[in-house]
Amino acid sequence: MSDKETFGRLLREARQRALLTLEALAGASGVSVRAISDMERGRSLPRQTTLSELLDALEPTKEDRHLLVRAATGDVHKVPRQLPPDLAVFRGREEAVRTVRALTEQGAGHGGRAVIAAIGGMAGVGKTTLAVHWAHQVADRYPDGQLYVNLRGFEETGRPLDPGEALGGFLTALGVPSAELPADTQERAALFRRRTASRRLVVLLDNARDEEQVRPLLPTASGCFTLVTSRNRLSGLAAAEGSNLVGLDVWDEGDALAALGARIGEERCRSEPGAAAELVRLCGYLPLAVAVVGAQLSAAPGMRLRVALDELREARLDVLSTGDTRADVRAVFSWSCRALTEETARFFRFLALHPGPSASAEAAASLAGVDMASARLRLRELTAASLLSHDALGHHVLHDLVRAYGVELVEQCGDDRLAAETRLLDYLRHNAYAAGLFVSRVKADPPGPAAEGVAYVRMAGREEALDWYRRESAATTAALRRIEDPRLLRRRVDLALEWVGYNVVTGRWTEEIAAGRIALDAALTLDDPVAIVQSSANLVRALVETGSHGEADEPAAMMIRHMHRLPPARRVRAEQNLNWLRFSQKRPHEGLRHARNALALCREHGLRDKIPVALVGLGAVLDEVGDHLGAISVAEEALPLLRAAGDRRTEGVALANLGQARQNLGDLAAAVGNYESALRLFEAVLDTYGQAEVWDQIASAQLQQGSVEGARASWTRSADLFDGLRVARADLIRARPNGLPHRADPSGAPDGR
């Protein structure tokens, strides 16, 4: 579907929801019936002015407005292609393939209704291989793309992927900007269903833990085909959602021998038929085990099968959790690892310690403490040995059984797990600091030297820095949650604090709340007052921005309990943070006490560079308690100091505060002038949050001047900016124009530019 066709479909749906005929929409918007008809039929896209006229007439929801705007600019038609690669040669599974084919035809033959197939079986049996193969086979029937996610239902940690995180990946692939992703899982699920409502998609949900993990990820629209793989038999999914269950067992001997012959050569199997048959029997006819055996024999073409068989028999076999000895693959893994070079075997063991779903080459290099050239060589060798695969982003993935075996080897071989996890945490922290220099105004203290062997990523600008953050966000979340060695508490705290800037800039408040709680718990264990107060302050900010003002009182109380232990400069910052919280909670008199404490500390301890910022915080809360003249005096005292220091962002805050005080005294012209100056400064320093706040202030001044439409437009700008940061008060600001009359704007009030 082209961009024109996509826009046409969205416009037609929006018109129908508004209960408007073509003629009625033309009359309301001033756009001709013919032009609207051409757009709905996918023949043309609107100019910006035409689009604005249509949106004003349709009054769509916020989400529909965003979709229409992106479609009109060619930014919505995004076709995801997330499937992992198919096997070059797919063997066996004729019965399962027939079953899945019948389900596909069933969906196509019943009005294109959504079909769900849940493929169940033990680990390593080939569920993913079958699902990926069939998804590729039918991909051309689903022109709107393919979505794939590994739900990590069965891993050593016992922590499956959260459905909300999986939905975030799907929605991003479908064109939803990350800053517009809802925080709540149910809201993400609802948005996913709306985004897939008119699409024909293949959705592959791999390695699911249970029905509850899967349900939010199911598209309900007709024309979608969902494949689910799981070790559990998802009977509840069949009962409630009408899923079709497909059971997958191990290969029979014929299929297993055929697969082995395809890897090592059929002549080699025919020359030692008994040994070949015994090899696949000892592999339990498990596809994963046969693949590993075949890869290693292929790498050693001169090895007799009888020799390999003797090694396999002598290995100590541990029974898998199913209790089925045929499915014992540990011996196969041990043989596979013994066939690796010593360097690659060591690299494999350290790679298994990566806590996330997949590992970048740089993270893998850091875990092993080797340079990038060596890391890439080892990764290629592990891939060739069928111990490693790739996800759609090119990151490196260990099968969960292979990963579990690698972790066991770390203990058996006496590898230094502490050193490896130290290097990983340092990799994530030090590169986050480097990326933050391009991205964030929240600057953490420069980290000390990293552990030896940590990889550094070269970043030349903001986009490369943001890309690095995005690629390593899952690894960072996993590291904070799953690396539990008490000797690494300090590094976990430092890592959480280092990612605050990125989370703030991109509106990742839900992620920041989780990281903040982890950091606070670790800081309390360390009894580090600086880390306790800083982590509490970050948690307060994230809770307020998500609308959880009441919950912020608990970490605020933690700040107050430990504030007396801080050095003066950090105590000043803590008092300012508490002032901001009480201001946000509509408790300005409490905030005033904290603001005065901050200024007094600056003067008492000679912290002259902190005084301008303290004055700005005091001015804002003075105005809020009604001392408008005092607020003006404080702002005017702060402005020359800020200009001398070159602090343009805080200068913008001071000007906005000055404008607010003047507006409250009735001097609207001077107030708007201050707001416009503040807005220019915030735009110059790329402070989206500051811009959003000033547009809100401009709107209120415009309304007092009689510019109803100007106020409406400014509030919309403010709400759009806050939406991008996922700030809860965006909805409150967007609702402010409700009830205002629609009329011509006679004032000619400036628009703030």
Side-chain angles (χ1 to χ4, degrees):
M1 188 178 290
S2 68
D3 293 329
K4 292 179 182 178
E5 291 170 330
T6 300
F7 178 79
R9 174 178 57 80
L10 293 171
L11 178 60
R12 182 171 57 256
E13 291 171 354
R15 176 175 61 79
Q16 291 169 347
R17 280 193 291 272
L19 303 179
L20 294 174
T21 64
L22 280 172
E23 291 76 12
L25 178 57
S29 66
V31 182
S32 71
V33 171
R34 180 175 179 178
I36 296 172
S37 176
D38 285 345
M39 283 182 270
E40 288 193 354
R41 287 183 290 170
R43 293 182 176 180
S44 64
L45 289 172
R47 296 190 300 272
Q48 183 61 46
T49 53
T50 302
L51 177 64
S52 297
E53 290 164 349
L54 290 169
L55 293 176
D56 287 344
L58 290 167
E59 297 185 342
T61 64
K62 177 180 68 175
E63 179 190 341
D64 289 340
R65 174 182 287 270
H66 288 179
L67 282 173
L68 284 162
V69 170
R70 285 198 295 271
T73 57
D75 190 38
V76 73
H77 189 66
K78 192 168 185 179
V79 178
R81 308 286 187 194
Q82 294 187 330
L83 291 179
D86 195 7
L87 290 179
V89 178
F90 182 83
R91 294 180 177 274
R93 302 301 190 198
E94 286 84 3
E95 183 178 351
V97 168
R98 282 194 297 271
T99 301
V100 180
R101 179 184 291 115
L103 294 174
T104 309
E105 298 297 335
Q106 175 188 358
H110 287 76
R113 70 174 178 83
V115 172
I116 307 168
I119 303 173
M122 62 171 293
V125 78
K127 302 180 295 294
T128 299
T129 300
L130 172 62
V132 169
H133 172 70
W134 189 249
H136 277 285
Q137 293 299 301
V138 299
D140 60 342
R141 304 187 191 183
Y142 298 87
D144 294 318
Q146 311 97 43
L147 297 173
Y148 170 88
V149 65
N150 177 4
L151 294 173
R152 306 202 304 271
F154 296 89
E155 292 191 351
E156 182 190 15
T157 62
R159 296 187 180 98
L161 183 69
D162 183 82
E165 187 176 345
L167 284 165
F170 281 178
L171 290 168
T172 300
L174 291 171
V176 179
S178 60
E180 296 180 17
L181 295 177
D184 180 71
T185 296
Q186 293 306 314
E187 292 177 2
R188 289 188 176 189
L191 179 57
F192 175 64
R193 289 191 293 271
R194 291 195 297 272
R195 279 303 182 96
T196 57
S198 58
R199 299 188 190 221
R200 290 181 58 80
L201 290 163
V202 175
V203 180
L204 205 171
L205 308 177
D206 195 18
N207 194 15
R209 183 58 175 261
D210 53 32
E211 293 88 340
E212 295 307 311
Q213 187 188 26
V214 168
R215 284 192 175 105
L217 308 175
L218 295 175
T220 56
S222 62
C224 288
F225 180 45
T226 303
L227 284 162
V228 186
T229 72
S230 178
R231 294 187 204 175
N232 283 335
R233 184 173 177 83
L234 303 178
S235 302
L237 210 61
E241 277 77 24
S243 169
N244 301 275
L245 303 181
V246 181
L248 210 59
D249 201 352
V250 296
W251 276 327
D252 60 25
E253 181 177 307
D255 283 340
L257 283 170
L260 181 64
R263 286 184 173 271
I264 70 173
E266 293 180 0
E267 179 59 34
R268 200 170 172 189
C269 287
R270 283 196 295 267
S271 67
E272 296 182 79
E278 184 65 6
L279 274 174
V280 296
R281 189 191 70 78
L282 289 178
C283 286
Y285 306 118
L286 191 68
L288 176 63
V290 173
V292 173
V293 168
Q296 295 308 317
L297 285 170
S298 180
M303 178 183 287
R304 296 287 304 275
L305 300 189
R306 182 66 59 186
V307 174
L309 181 60
D310 290 341
E311 290 187 17
L312 195 57
R313 281 174 173 158
E314 292 170 4
R316 180 175 178 266
L317 303 179
D318 295 326
V319 179
L320 293 175
S321 59
T322 60
D324 183 354
T325 56
R326 297 180 309 155
D328 183 1
V329 299
R330 201 170 261 107
V332 176
F333 293 153
S334 69
W335 179 47
S336 178
C337 290
R338 286 203 305 273
L340 300 172
T341 64
E342 182 178 346
E343 294 82 2
T344 302
R346 175 184 177 276
F347 187 92
F348 163 73
R349 298 194 299 271
F350 283 125
L351 179 60
L353 296 174
H354 192 286
S358 60
S360 66
E362 294 84 1
S366 299
L367 277 165
V370 301
D371 60 43
M372 289 305 302
S374 176
R376 291 191 177 98
L377 174 62
R378 306 305 167 204
L379 290 167
R380 286 195 297 270
E381 291 177 358
L382 290 171
T383 302
S386 296
L387 287 169
L388 199 61
S389 61
H390 300 89
D391 63 14
L393 297 177
H395 283 194
H396 305 277
V397 181
L398 286 171
H399 185 278
D400 49 5
L401 287 179
V402 177
R403 180 199 298 270
Y405 180 69
V407 172
E408 287 184 1
L409 288 182
V410 169
E411 306 300 326
Q412 293 173 14
C413 297
D415 293 318
D416 193 341
R417 179 170 187 161
L418 174 64
E421 292 179 336
T422 297
R423 289 190 295 268
L424 178 64
L425 292 172
D426 280 4
Y427 161 74
L428 295 169
R429 183 196 178 192
H430 282 252
N431 285 285
Y433 176 80
L437 298 176
F438 295 106
V439 169
S440 171
R441 64 177 179 81
V442 181
K443 304 301 182 189
D445 295 332
E452 185 177 354
V454 169
Y456 287 89
V457 179
R458 301 181 103 183
M459 290 171 259
R462 180 180 175 86
E463 287 307 312
E464 289 185 9
L466 286 170
D467 182 64
W468 181 87
Y469 274 125
R470 285 189 289 265
R471 287 188 292 109
E472 296 294 5
S473 60
T476 299
T477 299
L480 288 173
R481 290 177 178 171
R482 298 172 186 170
I483 294 180
E484 299 176 342
D485 192 312
R487 293 169 291 182
L488 295 175
L489 282 175
R490 168 64 59 195
R491 278 180 159 83
R492 290 173 67 208
V493 171
D494 291 342
L495 177 60
L497 296 178
E498 198 66 68
W499 276 69
V500 172
Y502 173 66
N503 290 338
V504 169
V505 165
T506 56
R508 287 163 41 94
W509 303 114
T510 302
E511 293 83 352
E512 180 55 36
I513 289 170
R517 294 194 193 283
I518 291 170
L520 180 56
D521 288 345
L524 288 168
T525 301
L526 293 168
D527 193 30
D528 178 349
V530 171
I532 290 170
V533 173
Q534 193 170 353
S535 299
S536 297
N538 294 335
L539 187 53
V540 162
R541 169 77 187 275
L543 288 167
V544 168
E545 299 297 8
T546 55
S548 302
H549 293 75
E551 291 183 45
D553 281 333
E554 183 177 349
M558 186 73 68
M559 294 173 65
I560 293 169
R561 281 200 295 275
H562 291 272
M563 215 161 44
H564 69 280
R565 304 171 62 192
L566 298 178
R570 290 192 178 273
R571 185 173 176 187
V572 167
R573 184 60 185 155
E575 294 279 12
Q576 291 167 334
N577 287 331
L578 289 166
N579 174 29
W580 179 87
L581 169 63
R582 299 313 182 200
F583 188 95
S584 301
Q585 292 177 320
K586 308 300 183 186
R587 294 155 63 179
H589 288 90
E590 294 178 51
L592 182 59
R593 183 175 69 252
H594 292 297
R596 284 175 169 157
N597 288 346
L599 185 58
L601 283 167
C602 291
R603 288 174 170 156
E604 177 184 349
H605 294 279
L607 302 173
R608 299 181 61 185
D609 60 321
K610 308 292 184 186
I611 288 177
V613 177
L615 287 168
V616 172
L618 177 60
V621 75
L622 281 173
D623 185 64
E624 188 70 10
V625 300
D627 186 0
H628 309 310
L629 291 175
I632 290 173
S633 175
V634 167
E636 289 177 336
E637 180 183 354
L639 279 169
L641 300 176
L642 292 165
R643 288 165 182 154
D647 187 348
R648 302 174 75 193
R649 182 197 166 273
T650 310
E651 181 186 349
V653 177
L655 284 166
N657 291 348
L658 185 59
Q660 187 66 66
R662 285 174 169 162
Q663 181 180 346
N664 289 334
L665 290 172
D667 191 352
L668 297 179
V672 171
N674 291 142
Y675 293 150
E676 290 177 332
S677 297
L679 186 62
R680 286 192 290 271
L681 286 170
F682 288 136
E683 289 172 340
V685 298
L686 304 178
D687 187 343
T688 305
Y689 195 98
Q691 294 173 52
E693 290 197 311
V694 171
W695 278 116
D696 181 26
Q697 293 171 303
I698 288 173
S700 66
Q702 288 173 321
L703 189 62
Q704 285 184 258
Q705 290 176 320
S707 175
V708 174
E709 295 308 315
R712 191 190 310 278
S714 296
W715 269 320
T716 298
R717 288 191 181 188
S718 175
D720 287 345
L721 290 170
F722 274 132
D723 268 341
L725 295 171
R726 298 197 298 189
V727 171
R729 60 184 164 128
D731 291 336
L732 178 64
I733 291 173
R734 194 175 298 283
R736 283 178 180 164
N738 292 347
L740 294 180
H742 286 270
R743 58 185 177 84
D745 185 351
S747 70
D751 66 357
R753 290 287 179 182

